[in-house]
Amino acid sequence: MTTALIYSEKYLEHKPSEWHPERPERLRAIVDALRRANLWSLPSVQVIEPTPASRADIELVHDREYIALIERLSGLCKPLDSDTPVDANTFELALLAAGGAIKAGEVVAARDATNAFALVRPPGHHASRGHGGGFCYFNNLAIMIEHLRRRHGVKRVFVLDFDAHHGNGTQEIFYEDPSVLFMSIHQDGRTLYPGTGFVHEIGSGEGEGHTVNVPLRPGSADAEYASVMQELFLPLSEAFKPELIAVSAGMDAHADDPLTQLGLSTSAYGWLTRYVVKQAGKLCGGRVVLVLEGGYAVDAVAGAAVNIVRVLTGWSPPLPTEQKRPEVVDDIRRALADCWRL
Ligand SMILES: [Zn+2]
């Protein structure tokens, strides 16, 4: 089993502003922690410098007018919205973040690595075809998936988004698409940005049943996540039979996160990843690509990333013994009853 870590020092040059939670220290702490844990230099790990995504790749997902808008705002240093500032280098760095996700997907599709983690900034899962926001400009993970489908013949991708915020951009991009199953576990949209991601949002047209939202009450923690992985992630991924599992890996569901009210432990990131890696081993030759999203408690994010990479490189932490089924699991089963036998 080999692992690719995709990283560029340039990702630290994205500096939204002094007060902004999506700050370079997040990623610097991850890389420092991986180095201290000797994961950066493991023989089974290759660290790869990404190249920027091409305009053609970005256009696989985003409208031309929207791409032009980001480029223009970058020239003017004018924000996209009050949460999402734009500097002179934002356009260029957003291309490099998408390029990092593409590189992670490519090495796994080409079997140069079993799995990969794109350690990128700015994040992407709130960016839809024609809108950005929530610290996101281009949807790195969606661009990676479209690139793999068009250029590497990957047909079916299961997306697990465990960032605490609903991955509304990714959901919208693939809402009518039956070749991507999007499953998001997040804090209930009535209590957190972006206010979407409810059980009844299950996809439409041919994509019906291929969007699965698991909104959790504030305070939900390891036992609830363990139940969701066991009772929804395992049977859904088995039924869908992906060729690749892609993960929107945000670490802001951690108990220490200043922006959210969920309660995951640092060790949870290890066993969450183990569920994914194990299932990928069973279903798709171990092929897993993680793309970094949010996570704002710097020390927690670093510890979570170490546990994730430990599992990618072969560590099998124990699965949690305690499970607590959130009520929403039954609602989801009912909402999907016509589509999947769960
Ligand atoms: Zn988030």
Side-chain angles (χ1 to χ4, degrees), residues 65-150:
E65 299 74 44
Y66 174 68
I67 301 168
L69 171 71
I70 300 297
E71 191 170 22
R72 195 165 64 245
L73 291 176
S74 230
L76 301 167
C77 295
K78 274 178 96 170
L80 190 55
D81 63 34
S82 57
D83 283 340
T84 317
V86 176
D87 274 326
N89 61 3
T90 301
F91 180 69
E92 180 197 324
L93 293 174
L95 290 180
L96 192 61
I102 289 173
K103 179 57 81 183
E106 276 183 328
V107 294
V108 170
R111 300 187 187 276
D112 290 335
T114 316
N115 52 47
F117 194 175
L119 298 167
V120 302
R121 296 176 62 245
H125 74 151
H126 296 307
S128 63
R129 291 195 182 278
H131 293 278
F135 320 160
C136 301
Y137 309 91
F138 298 139
N139 195 312
N140 305 318
L141 177 130
I143 292 164
M144 179 270 286
I145 290 173
E146 289 297 354
H147 179 95
L148 293 188
R149 291 165 76 187
R150 310 287 173 102

Side-chain angles (χ1 to χ4, degrees), residues 138-166:
F138 298 139
N139 195 312
N140 305 318
L141 177 130
I143 292 164
M144 179 270 286
I145 290 173
E146 289 297 354
H147 179 95
L148 293 188
R149 291 165 76 187
R150 310 287 173 102
R151 313 227 200 280
H152 298 269
V154 174
K155 291 185 195 75
R156 298 167 69 76
V157 180
F158 189 106
V159 177
L160 175 67
D161 184 328
F162 60 60
D163 188 280
H165 301 88
H166 177 231

